[in-house]
Amino acid sequence: MFPQKEETEPKVRFANFSSPWKQRKFSDLLDPKKGIRRGPFGSALKKDLFVPESNYVVYEQQNAIYDRYNTRYNITEKKFKELSKFEIIPGDFIMSGAGTIGRISRVPKGIKKGVFNQALIRFKVNAKKIDSEYFLQLMRSDNMQRELTRSNPGSAMINLVPMSEVKKWKIKVPGFEEQREIGQFFSKLDNIVTLYQQKLEKQQNLKKAFLQKMFI
């Protein structure tokens, strides 16, 4: 049985904020010095530089796409220091720039020290201007994903919009406290959707198992 409705639906209790939403340049929401950075050129992280074991790893587009932080490749401490400006730390955001483009993930606590490769783009937000959860929800929204991955005029190819253009975009954002409430609300909603999807999958598997028994 599914949980009762009142146990799963998040309560919408936004405060009555009087401050209007303000239009800001996308770049204003980011760290002024390290806002957006693309991964290093492929030649900086060729496979012949990888080592069997190390305390330093390489993060790839699959980490952003699947929101998981398992890794396949290791680098030496020396190489890590050479590429230190490409390090990711908890609280950063990484976005896939190759394959399945535009997928974004927030870097969690407890990851191994490492750098991101050429297929990723890193964002560092300005914590005084935008709430971390609100930024994640904004970047994952359908409208933002369409804008980030729109095709070139006259072409069927889907490409990631140049980050130099993204920086110039103007976005309306609410006050910080309202951002926080909205971000928390959608985060809870995402968790509930995931819960229902898991329960639905279990019910479908149960039905499939019963149907199979009917024909044995």
Side-chain angles (χ1 to χ4, degrees), residues 38-68:
R38 282 187 171 273
F41 289 113
S43 58
L45 273 175
K46 292 190 290 188
K47 287 190 177 182
D48 58 4
L49 296 172
F50 299 154
V51 296
E53 293 183 11
S54 171
N55 292 323
Y56 304 93
V57 300
V58 177
Y59 293 97
E60 307 171 82
Q61 66 267 34
Q62 65 183 17
N63 300 116
I65 293 169
Y66 299 110
D67 203 18
R68 297 173 186 160

Side-chain angles (χ1 to χ4, degrees), residues 21-216:
W21 289 38
K22 294 182 179 179
Q23 193 173 67
R24 296 182 180 275
K25 284 178 65 175
F26 188 85
S27 59
D28 291 341
L29 304 176
L30 305 175
D31 182 282
K33 294 182 179 179
K34 303 177 181 179
I36 301 178
R37 183 177 292 278
R38 282 187 171 273
F41 289 113
S43 58
L45 273 175
K46 292 190 290 188
K47 287 190 177 182
D48 58 4
L49 296 172
F50 299 154
V51 296
E53 293 183 11
S54 171
N55 292 323
Y56 304 93
V57 300
V58 177
Y59 293 97
E60 307 171 82
Q61 66 267 34
Q62 65 183 17
N63 300 116
I65 293 169
Y66 299 110
D67 203 18
R68 297 173 186 160
Y69 284 78
N70 52 309
T71 56
R72 299 187 295 170
Y73 303 118
N74 305 306
I75 54 175
T76 64
E77 181 178 7
K78 180 181 178 182
K79 176 55 67 173
F80 172 76
K81 289 181 178 179
E82 287 176 9
L83 298 173
S84 59
K85 63 183 179 181
F86 300 102
E87 181 183 6
I88 62 170
I89 62 173
D92 286 348
F93 295 86
I94 53 172
M95 184 170 70
S96 57
T100 305
I101 62 175
R103 296 290 180 85
I104 191 163
S105 172
R106 179 170 47 196
V107 180
K109 294 179 180 179
I111 64 164
K112 294 181 179 179
K113 273 188 170 292
V115 297
F116 59 100
N117 72 3
Q118 70 277 8
L120 286 173
I121 299 164
R122 183 193 65 198
F123 296 85
K124 287 182 179 287
V125 300
N126 185 332
K128 293 181 179 180
K129 292 188 177 181
I130 191 160
D131 176 69
S132 178
E133 184 62 37
Y134 183 87
F135 181 79
L136 182 64
Q137 296 292 340
L138 171 67
M139 296 298 287
R140 286 179 174 174
S141 68
D142 290 343
N143 287 342
M144 181 63 80
Q145 285 293 303
R146 280 195 295 269
E147 288 299 312
L148 284 168
T149 60
R150 68 173 181 259
S151 59
N152 291 331
S155 172
M157 290 289 291
I158 302 297
N159 297 299
L160 199 63
V161 172
M163 291 300 106
S164 57
E165 182 179 335
V166 173
K167 287 180 181 180
K168 299 175 185 177
W169 285 354
K170 291 184 177 179
I171 300 173
K172 281 189 175 181
V173 294
F176 196 84
E177 288 304 316
E178 192 170 1
Q179 289 178 29
R180 182 170 295 170
E181 286 205 17
I182 292 170
Q184 290 175 351
F185 170 74
F186 281 109
S187 177
K188 290 177 182 177
L189 196 59
D190 286 343
N191 291 337
I192 290 169
V193 170
T194 300
L195 176 64
Y196 269 108
Q197 288 173 336
Q198 291 172 345
K199 288 181 177 292
L200 180 60
E201 185 178 356
K202 288 181 180 178
Q203 296 290 334
Q204 289 172 333
N205 290 337
L206 183 62
K207 178 182 177 181
K208 184 178 179 180
F210 275 121
L211 288 172
Q212 287 175 340
K213 287 182 179 180
M214 290 172 64
F215 294 97
I216 294 176

